[in-house]
Short mmCIF file of all heavy atoms in Angstrom, two decimals:
data_model
loop_
_atom_site.label_atom_id
_atom_site.label_comp_id
_atom_site.label_asym_id
_atom_site.label_seq_id
_atom_site.Cartn_x
_atom_site.Cartn_y
_atom_site.Cartn_z
N SER B 376 76.30 68.16 8.13
CA SER B 376 77.71 68.39 7.93
C SER B 376 78.12 68.06 6.52
O SER B 376 77.50 67.22 5.88
CB SER B 376 78.52 67.60 8.93
OG SER B 376 78.55 66.27 8.57
N VAL B 377 79.12 68.79 6.09
CA VAL B 377 79.57 68.56 4.70
C VAL B 377 81.08 68.96 4.61
O VAL B 377 81.57 69.83 5.33
CB VAL B 377 78.75 69.45 3.72
CG1 VAL B 377 78.88 70.91 4.00
CG2 VAL B 377 79.18 69.21 2.25
N SER B 378 81.76 68.27 3.73
CA SER B 378 83.13 68.61 3.41
C SER B 378 83.25 68.85 1.94
O SER B 378 82.77 68.07 1.10
CB SER B 378 84.08 67.42 3.82
OG SER B 378 85.33 67.65 3.32
N TYR B 379 83.81 70.00 1.61
CA TYR B 379 83.79 70.47 0.24
C TYR B 379 85.20 70.86 -0.20
O TYR B 379 85.95 71.46 0.62
CB TYR B 379 82.82 71.67 0.18
CG TYR B 379 82.79 72.40 -1.12
CD1 TYR B 379 81.80 72.06 -2.06
CD2 TYR B 379 83.70 73.42 -1.50
CE1 TYR B 379 81.73 72.69 -3.31
CE2 TYR B 379 83.64 74.08 -2.69
CZ TYR B 379 82.65 73.71 -3.60
OH TYR B 379 82.59 74.34 -4.78
N LEU B 380 85.58 70.56 -1.43
CA LEU B 380 86.90 70.90 -1.89
C LEU B 380 86.85 71.55 -3.21
O LEU B 380 86.11 71.15 -4.10
CB LEU B 380 87.80 69.67 -1.97
CG LEU B 380 89.25 70.03 -2.35
CD1 LEU B 380 90.23 69.60 -1.29
CD2 LEU B 380 89.61 69.43 -3.69
N GLU B 381 87.64 72.60 -3.41
CA GLU B 381 87.74 73.16 -4.73
C GLU B 381 89.13 73.17 -5.22
O GLU B 381 90.13 73.26 -4.46
CB GLU B 381 87.22 74.65 -4.75
CG GLU B 381 87.98 75.55 -3.82
CD GLU B 381 87.64 77.01 -4.02
OE1 GLU B 381 86.79 77.36 -4.84
OE2 GLU B 381 88.27 77.81 -3.32
N GLY B 382 89.28 72.94 -6.58
CA GLY B 382 90.59 72.97 -7.19
C GLY B 382 90.57 73.94 -8.36
O GLY B 382 89.52 74.18 -8.96
N CYS B 383 91.70 74.52 -8.67
CA CYS B 383 91.74 75.51 -9.71
C CYS B 383 93.01 75.42 -10.56
O CYS B 383 94.09 75.34 -10.01
CB CYS B 383 91.71 76.94 -9.16
SG CYS B 383 90.93 77.12 -7.57
N THR B 384 92.82 75.50 -11.91
CA THR B 384 94.02 75.62 -12.77
C THR B 384 93.65 76.47 -13.97
O THR B 384 92.49 76.74 -14.21
CB THR B 384 94.50 74.28 -13.33
OG1 THR B 384 93.46 73.63 -14.03
CG2 THR B 384 95.10 73.37 -12.27
N ALA B 385 94.65 76.96 -14.67
CA ALA B 385 94.45 77.79 -15.86
C ALA B 385 95.61 77.58 -16.83
O ALA B 385 96.74 77.25 -16.40
CB ALA B 385 94.35 79.25 -15.48
N PRO B 386 95.36 77.83 -18.10
CA PRO B 386 96.49 77.71 -19.11
C PRO B 386 97.45 78.86 -18.93
O PRO B 386 97.17 79.81 -18.25
CB PRO B 386 95.77 77.81 -20.45
CG PRO B 386 94.34 77.85 -20.22
CD PRO B 386 94.09 78.17 -18.79
N MET B 387 98.59 78.69 -19.58
CA MET B 387 99.61 79.75 -19.50
C MET B 387 99.34 80.76 -20.59
O MET B 387 99.29 80.46 -21.76
CB MET B 387 100.95 79.14 -19.71
CG MET B 387 101.40 78.22 -18.67
SD MET B 387 103.07 77.78 -18.79
CE MET B 387 103.01 76.50 -20.01
N PHE B 388 99.11 82.01 -20.21
CA PHE B 388 99.04 83.08 -21.13
C PHE B 388 99.97 84.17 -20.64
O PHE B 388 100.26 84.26 -19.44
CB PHE B 388 97.60 83.69 -21.18
CG PHE B 388 96.61 82.78 -21.82
CD1 PHE B 388 95.64 82.18 -21.03
CD2 PHE B 388 96.60 82.50 -23.18
CE1 PHE B 388 94.70 81.33 -21.62
CE2 PHE B 388 95.66 81.68 -23.74
CZ PHE B 388 94.70 81.08 -22.97
N ASP B 389 100.44 85.02 -21.56
CA ASP B 389 101.33 86.04 -21.10
C ASP B 389 100.61 87.30 -20.66
O ASP B 389 101.20 88.30 -20.33
CB ASP B 389 102.42 86.37 -22.12
CG ASP B 389 101.89 86.73 -23.45
OD1 ASP B 389 100.63 86.84 -23.51
OD2 ASP B 389 102.64 86.83 -24.45
N THR B 390 99.26 87.22 -20.73
CA THR B 390 98.50 88.38 -20.16
C THR B 390 97.95 87.92 -18.79
O THR B 390 97.95 86.71 -18.50
CB THR B 390 97.34 88.72 -21.03
OG1 THR B 390 96.61 87.52 -21.29
CG2 THR B 390 97.76 89.39 -22.33
N ASN B 391 97.55 88.84 -18.00
CA ASN B 391 97.03 88.53 -16.69
C ASN B 391 95.48 88.33 -16.80
O ASN B 391 94.82 89.07 -17.49
CB ASN B 391 97.32 89.63 -15.71
CG ASN B 391 98.79 89.76 -15.45
OD1 ASN B 391 99.41 90.73 -15.91
ND2 ASN B 391 99.39 88.80 -14.80
N THR B 392 95.04 87.34 -16.13
CA THR B 392 93.61 87.05 -16.13
C THR B 392 93.02 87.33 -14.77
O THR B 392 93.64 86.95 -13.76
CB THR B 392 93.36 85.59 -16.55
OG1 THR B 392 94.11 85.33 -17.71
CG2 THR B 392 91.89 85.33 -16.83
N LEU B 393 91.88 87.94 -14.74
CA LEU B 393 91.31 88.25 -13.45
C LEU B 393 90.34 87.15 -13.00
O LEU B 393 89.51 86.67 -13.77
CB LEU B 393 90.53 89.56 -13.58
CG LEU B 393 89.81 90.04 -12.31
CD1 LEU B 393 90.77 90.34 -11.18
CD2 LEU B 393 88.93 91.33 -12.61
N HIS B 394 90.52 86.78 -11.76
CA HIS B 394 89.62 85.81 -11.14
C HIS B 394 89.10 86.43 -9.87
O HIS B 394 89.90 86.72 -8.95
CB HIS B 394 90.35 84.55 -10.86
CG HIS B 394 89.62 83.58 -9.99
ND1 HIS B 394 89.95 83.28 -8.69
CD2 HIS B 394 88.51 82.82 -10.32
CE1 HIS B 394 89.06 82.42 -8.23
NE2 HIS B 394 88.19 82.10 -9.16
N ALA B 395 87.80 86.74 -9.84
CA ALA B 395 87.28 87.41 -8.67
C ALA B 395 86.04 86.60 -8.16
O ALA B 395 84.94 86.80 -8.64
CB ALA B 395 86.92 88.82 -8.91
N ALA B 396 86.30 85.67 -7.26
CA ALA B 396 85.22 84.80 -6.86
C ALA B 396 84.65 85.31 -5.53
O ALA B 396 85.27 86.02 -4.81
CB ALA B 396 85.76 83.36 -6.68
N VAL B 397 83.42 84.84 -5.25
CA VAL B 397 82.83 85.03 -3.96
C VAL B 397 82.30 83.68 -3.47
O VAL B 397 81.66 82.99 -4.19
CB VAL B 397 81.64 86.06 -3.99
CG1 VAL B 397 80.92 86.12 -2.70
CG2 VAL B 397 82.19 87.45 -4.32
N VAL B 398 82.64 83.34 -2.24
CA VAL B 398 82.13 82.15 -1.65
C VAL B 398 81.40 82.53 -0.35
O VAL B 398 81.95 83.29 0.46
CB VAL B 398 83.31 81.18 -1.29
CG1 VAL B 398 82.77 79.96 -0.57
CG2 VAL B 398 84.00 80.77 -2.60
N GLU B 399 80.21 82.03 -0.19
CA GLU B 399 79.45 82.27 1.06
C GLU B 399 79.06 80.94 1.69
O GLU B 399 78.55 80.07 1.03
CB GLU B 399 78.17 83.04 0.73
CG GLU B 399 78.42 84.46 0.20
CD GLU B 399 77.12 85.18 -0.15
OE1 GLU B 399 76.55 84.85 -1.27
OE2 GLU B 399 76.69 85.99 0.60
N LEU B 400 79.38 80.82 2.97
CA LEU B 400 79.01 79.61 3.72
C LEU B 400 78.04 80.00 4.84
O LEU B 400 78.31 81.03 5.51
CB LEU B 400 80.22 78.95 4.31
CG LEU B 400 81.43 78.71 3.45
CD1 LEU B 400 82.50 77.97 4.29
CD2 LEU B 400 81.12 77.94 2.23
N ILE B 401 77.09 79.20 5.03
CA ILE B 401 76.14 79.45 6.18
C ILE B 401 75.97 78.19 6.98
O ILE B 401 75.53 77.18 6.47
CB ILE B 401 74.80 79.99 5.61
CG1 ILE B 401 75.00 81.34 5.00
CG2 ILE B 401 73.74 80.08 6.74
CD1 ILE B 401 74.09 81.67 3.85
N ALA B 402 76.31 78.25 8.24
CA ALA B 402 76.18 77.08 9.10
C ALA B 402 75.17 77.36 10.21
O ALA B 402 75.26 78.34 10.96
CB ALA B 402 77.55 76.73 9.72
N LEU B 403 74.14 76.55 10.27
CA LEU B 403 73.09 76.75 11.25
C LEU B 403 73.41 75.84 12.48
O LEU B 403 74.42 75.16 12.49
CB LEU B 403 71.71 76.46 10.68
CG LEU B 403 71.41 77.41 9.46
CD1 LEU B 403 70.11 77.01 8.77
CD2 LEU B 403 71.36 78.89 9.94
N ASP B 404 72.52 75.87 13.49
CA ASP B 404 72.78 75.14 14.78
C ASP B 404 73.44 73.80 14.60
O ASP B 404 72.94 72.97 13.85
CB ASP B 404 71.45 74.94 15.50
CG ASP B 404 70.98 76.27 16.16
OD1 ASP B 404 71.55 77.30 15.84
OD2 ASP B 404 70.02 76.19 16.90
N HIS B 405 74.49 73.58 15.30
CA HIS B 405 75.14 72.27 15.41
C HIS B 405 75.61 71.72 14.04
O HIS B 405 75.74 70.51 13.89
CB HIS B 405 74.24 71.19 16.07
CG HIS B 405 73.87 71.58 17.49
ND1 HIS B 405 74.66 71.20 18.59
CD2 HIS B 405 72.86 72.32 17.96
CE1 HIS B 405 74.10 71.68 19.66
NE2 HIS B 405 73.01 72.39 19.32
N SER B 406 75.73 72.56 13.03
CA SER B 406 76.18 72.02 11.75
C SER B 406 77.65 72.27 11.55
O SER B 406 78.26 73.06 12.28
CB SER B 406 75.34 72.68 10.63
OG SER B 406 75.73 74.05 10.53
N SER B 407 78.23 71.65 10.51
CA SER B 407 79.59 71.93 10.28
C SER B 407 79.92 71.88 8.79
O SER B 407 79.39 71.05 8.05
CB SER B 407 80.53 70.96 11.05
OG SER B 407 81.03 70.01 10.24
#
Side-chain angles (χ1 to χ4, degrees):
Chain B
S376 74
V377 60
S378 169
Y379 176 93
L380 184 120
E381 61 169 1
C383 332
T384 56
M387 296 190 279
F388 290 110
D389 55 8
T390 52
N391 296 107
T392 311
L393 177 63
H394 171 250
V397 170
V398 175
E399 295 177 282
L400 312 183
I401 292 149
L403 301 174
D404 285 9
H405 299 270
S406 68
S407 102

